[in-house]
Amino acid sequence: MIQRASLDELMTLVDPGKVLTDAASLEAYGKDWTKHYPPAPSAIVLPRTVEQVQAIVRWANAHKVALVPSGGRTGLSAGAVAAKGEVVVAFDYMNQILGFDAFDRTVVCQPGVITRQLQAYAEEQGLYYPVDFASSGSSQVGGNIGTNAGGIKVIRYGMTRNWVAGLKVVTGTGELLELNKGLVKNATGYDLRHLFIGAEGTLGFVVEATMRLDRAPRNLTAMVLGTPDFDSIMPVLHAFHGKLDLTAFEFFSDKGLARILARGDVPAPFHTPCSFYALLEFEASTEQVADEALATFEHCVAQGWVLDGVMSQSETQLKNLWKLREYLSETISHWTPYKNDISVTVSKVPAFLRDIDAVVQAHYPDYEVVWYGHIGDGNLHLNILKPEHMSKDAFFASCARVNKWVFEIVERYNGSISAEHGVGMTKRDYLGYSRSPEEIACMKAIKAVFDPNGIMNPGKIFAPE
Ligand code: MLT
Ligand code: ZN
């Protein structure tokens, strides 16, 4: 625990009332959406300026206090959980959009800008910020950068990394670095900007980000297609990929659909029962594109890959179809799911899923398994739901035992144990299934350069030594 005198000193570094130690704040700011670790921070500090962030980091070095960055706390790998008396640095008061350049199509954000705020701002300029996911109403830009957030439009637009034109970061020694300065072309050696993207705050804190925007999409249209089995989804993807410029290609299982329909506030897409469903989206910018989509749909039906389908005819229908996929995470959170976020190259998905599913069936015969994910990116979310009668600890322990077999398959397919949720604490013990010992040694050496005293989000990505 931190000495009273150190906390008093911390209070002098920020605005009055911006160090919180009450039980409710410690509980709220000490956790993210994972339920694995009870939050136990010593204090929460809310800086307003870059200079205040630098002062906090210098204070933490002087007092050997660990810092945990906190954005919207929507993470799913416990990357922003403070479970060991750390001080949480929350960016809620650094939440302004500082500038916009129509010519460069860039917008300068403080780290606490909410993703949806950035999307809405882009829309007001007639442009588009394309990184999108179900938690965009709470997640913050700094957190998105820290985890290199992906989401539902990666097939067309890529991950957050693609949209970061420049960064200002405060390193683990309190230095301010300005990285890439918004440039499109910059061949001046190592691009340090990219080291901080996806680093989960272990090297330093993002204090300003210049984000790129794109042209607004035209007449987005979604289709939901029901397939008889998982294997049929891939030829459907292949057929549509060849014909249309897809902006999304997602999937979910019949169990996922059943959970969504049980909510009672989302209409069924159609009534033919199917084992799996694909949700695809494209810009129907001309009538020919819509005709092409329908012709491809008919081809898929004729091949026996698709049993039924629907295409949105209005903005409301588009939104309703997306709810089938976007509401899944929140809907199943009621059953305290054990989550896996695994990926392989798209061509390997069918064999990979078959192997994983065999392990899952053999070891979790009594648990309900809900599959969904970004199949067009090779990213599958394997969610195992906790039976009502079972304690959380017993359930997580039994799921963790099976991880070994799941991750051995991931390793065999040259896949990733975390495609988009990050490593945090929940996946740190499995990092070796995706990264070689030599790579991990390089990563640790890089951390030592930016954070020599190991105060920046320790225990995340790497297990404590
Ligand atoms: C999603 O794809 O819905 C998100 O990654 C969240 C989740 O996996 O539950
Ligand atoms: Zn996802």
Side-chain angles (χ1 to χ4, degrees):
M1 274 293 145
I2 299 172
Q3 308 275 313
R4 185 69 244 175
S6 310
L7 267 188
D8 287 346
E9 191 186 322
L10 178 64
M11 286 180 197
T12 66
L13 306 177
V14 289
D15 293 2
K18 295 295 178 272
V19 176
L20 311 175
T21 52
D22 61 287
S25 300
L26 296 181
E27 165 82 19
Y29 282 93
K31 64 180 179 201
D32 62 8
W33 279 4
T34 52
K35 297 177 182 163
H36 296 232
Y37 306 91
S42 292
I44 316 303
V45 59
L46 297 137
R48 234 178 234 288
T49 65
V50 173
E51 292 72 25
Q52 289 182 358
V53 177
Q54 289 182 278
I56 293 165
V57 172
R58 290 192 184 118
W59 167 88
N61 274 289
H63 296 274
K64 302 279 179 287
V65 171
L67 300 176
V68 174
S70 172
R73 294 182 297 284
T74 57
L76 294 167
S77 296
V81 171
K84 291 202 156 150
E86 303 96 327
V87 167
V88 172
V89 184
F91 291 93
D92 301 20
Y93 292 99
M94 293 177 72
N95 61 352
Q96 301 300 308
I97 289 185
L98 301 176
F100 167 67
D101 191 306
F103 205 89
D104 289 333
R105 282 191 179 168
T106 51
V107 53
V108 180
C109 299
Q110 288 190 306
V113 167
I114 308 277
T115 315
R116 192 156 295 153
Q117 191 188 338
L118 172 57
Q119 291 167 339
Y121 183 85
E123 229 174 281
E124 283 163 26
Q125 318 306 321
L127 293 168
Y128 186 57
Y129 180 66
V131 180
D132 196 16
F133 30 74
S135 59
S136 61
S138 324
S139 72
Q140 297 179 3
V141 167
N144 296 349
I145 294 169
T147 54
N148 187 24
I152 52 180
K153 308 273 174 146
V154 171
I155 193 170
R156 162 80 164 269
Y157 297 101
M159 313 272 285
T160 299
R161 184 183 299 286
N162 292 12
W163 301 91
V164 179
L167 281 184
K168 283 188 189 166
V169 298
V170 171
T171 69
T173 56
E175 258 171 280
L176 179 65
L177 301 182
E178 198 174 344
L179 308 174
N180 198 57
K181 301 175 181 151
L183 295 169
V184 174
K185 299 183 86 171
N186 180 12
T188 53
Y190 308 141
D191 191 340
L192 301 181
R193 162 187 51 158
H194 286 293
L195 281 181
F196 284 82
I197 303 170
E200 303 185 21
T202 60
L203 305 179
F205 296 155
V206 172
V207 289
E208 198 180 289
T210 302
M211 307 302 289
R212 291 192 201 289
L213 304 179
D214 201 24
R215 71 159 176 82
R218 300 180 192 104
N219 193 23
L220 283 176
T221 300
M223 278 179 143
V224 169
L225 309 175
T227 69
D229 45 39
F230 183 81
D231 280 352
S232 302
I233 297 181
M234 298 317 278
V236 173
L237 169 63
H238 199 63
F240 277 92
H241 229 351
K243 301 281 181 199
L244 303 176
D245 202 359
L246 294 173
T247 51
F249 194 97
E250 302 279 309
F251 90 110
F252 46 93
S253 67
D254 52 353
K255 293 206 171 69
L257 179 68
R259 295 288 181 183
I260 290 285
L261 297 183
R263 297 165 54 112
D265 61 348
V266 183
F270 42 77
H271 294 290
T272 310
C274 301
S275 298
F276 286 91
Y277 298 83
L279 186 159
L280 58 97
E281 188 194 64
F282 54 95
E283 289 178 86
S285 38
T286 63
E287 239 170 70
Q288 283 100 302
V289 179
D291 290 348
E292 190 79 78
L294 282 175
T296 310
F297 165 70
E298 275 156 23
H299 170 71
C300 291
V301 172
Q303 295 296 318
W305 302 326
V306 165
L307 300 176
D308 205 346
V310 59
M311 182 160 103
S312 65
Q313 304 295 331
S314 65
E315 188 77 15
T316 310
Q317 265 187 327
L318 174 74
K319 285 200 173 114
N320 280 337
L321 291 182
W322 266 113
K323 286 177 188 169
L324 296 165
R325 169 64 187 89
E326 286 235 82
Y327 283 7
L328 272 164
S329 188
E330 185 218 315
T331 305
I332 63 164
S333 69
H334 170 77
W335 289 274
T336 320
Y338 189 85
K339 301 181 88 71
N340 267 306
D341 164 40
I342 48 190
S343 70
V344 286
T345 51
V346 180
S347 58
K348 292 180 186 151
V349 165
F352 176 69
L353 189 118
R354 236 188 332 270
D355 285 1
I356 299 262
D357 209 34
V359 166
V360 168
Q361 298 298 339
H363 294 279
Y364 300 129
D366 305 328
Y367 298 162
E368 182 170 333
V369 173
V370 178
W371 284 103
Y372 57 86
H374 319 283
I375 193 80
D377 315 323
N379 179 188
L380 312 171
H381 294 311
L382 163 62
N383 290 271
I384 302 146
L385 307 195
K386 185 180 83 55
E388 297 280 2
H389 62 271
M390 208 168 174
S391 81
K392 189 184 81 182
D393 289 345
F395 172 66
F396 282 169
S398 88
C399 292
R401 276 197 291 279
V402 180
N403 266 343
K404 185 177 166 352
W405 290 292
V406 170
F407 290 148
E408 272 171 11
I409 298 171
V410 172
E411 188 177 32
R412 187 148 45 80
Y413 280 86
N414 278 325
S416 174
I417 60 152
S418 183
E420 60 170 4
H421 292 171
V423 180
M425 290 199 278
T426 62
K427 299 290 182 280
R428 67 186 179 189
D429 293 338
Y430 309 104
L431 188 62
Y433 286 98
S434 279
R435 311 295 294 261
S436 70
E438 294 78 11
E439 269 185 295
I440 293 173
C442 287
M443 291 204 280
K444 287 184 177 170
I446 290 168
K447 176 160 172 72
V449 168
F450 290 104
D451 178 29
N453 289 323
I455 57 153
M456 302 306 266
N457 214 7
K460 314 294 164 42
I461 302 183
F462 316 109
E465 313 238 298

